[in-house]
Amino acid sequence: MRLLWKLSLVSIALMLTSCGASWHLKRAIAKNPALARDTVIRIDTTIISQSVEIRDTIFIKEVDTIQVVKNGVVVDIRRSFDTIEVDVQCPPDTIRVFKEVPMVQIVPEKKERNIALGAVIGFILALVLIRVAGRFIK
């Protein structure tokens, strides 16, 4: 019964001092260094504006027609006696916004070791080993 208790105590101590997640992460990075490399994700946003038409009227007493085309916007000004008609046609436009967002894939944490817990467990194990060795020597 005492031997079973001692074996369980030793196995619990080994489980508490086994490899942590940071050790496994370091091993994975050592096997494949591409895991620790930063990546950049490119986000493509497309904005499509709608067509806008504005009409206005001014009264004058002569006849004339003017058409202005600039950057795809067509402005028609028609003057007929005492009336001015203004037609503006703005075609739909596509606006693209590119934004690059840097992404960090893996951030290994540097964990501070808790030496006090290891010292207490080591001290208890040393006491158990001294006691076991003392029984075998007698």
Side-chain angles (χ1 to χ4, degrees), residues 2 7 9 16 21 39 42 49 55 63 76 81:
R2 283 184 87 85
L7 286 175
L9 184 64
L16 290 176
T39 58
R42 186 174 182 187
S49 63
R55 299 183 191 277
V63 177
D76 286 331
F81 298 105

Side-chain angles (χ1 to χ4, degrees), residues 16-34:
L16 290 176
T17 59
S18 65
C19 301
S22 63
W23 182 84
H24 291 287
L25 180 61
K26 287 178 189 176
R27 293 294 304 145
I29 291 173
K31 288 182 179 180
N32 186 5

Side-chain angles (χ1 to χ4, degrees), residues 17 111-123:
T17 59
K111 183 179 175 186
E112 295 181 18
R113 296 196 174 248
N114 190 355
I115 298 174
L117 179 63
V120 169
I121 292 173
F123 183 71

Side-chain angles (χ1 to χ4, degrees), residues 37-136:
R37 206 173 315 139
D38 293 345
T39 58
V40 175
I41 295 176
R42 186 174 182 187
I43 300 172
D44 182 12
T45 304
T46 304
I47 302 169
I48 300 175
S49 63
Q50 298 297 322
S51 176
V52 177
E53 293 184 16
I54 300 173
R55 299 183 191 277
D56 198 1
T57 305
I58 300 174
F59 298 102
I60 300 180
K61 295 189 178 187
E62 295 178 6
V63 177
D64 194 12
T65 301
I66 301 172
Q67 184 177 30
V68 179
V69 178
K70 186 174 182 182
N71 294 334
V73 178
V74 179
V75 179
D76 286 331
I77 302 173
R78 286 182 300 280
R79 185 171 54 183
S80 176
F81 298 105
D82 63 343
T83 305
I84 291 182
E85 294 179 14
V86 178
D87 287 333
V88 179
Q89 293 179 348
C90 181
D93 195 10
T94 301
I95 302 168
R96 293 191 179 201
V97 178
F98 295 103
K99 184 176 183 182
E100 292 185 357
V101 180
M103 300 281 293
V104 178
Q105 284 185 345
I106 297 174
V107 180
E109 293 184 16
K110 292 192 176 187
K111 183 179 175 186
E112 295 181 18
R113 296 196 174 248
N114 190 355
I115 298 174
L117 179 63
V120 169
I121 292 173
F123 183 71
I124 291 172
L125 286 175
L127 287 178
V128 169
L129 287 175
I130 291 171
R131 184 154 187 152
V132 169
R135 292 206 181 215
F136 281 121

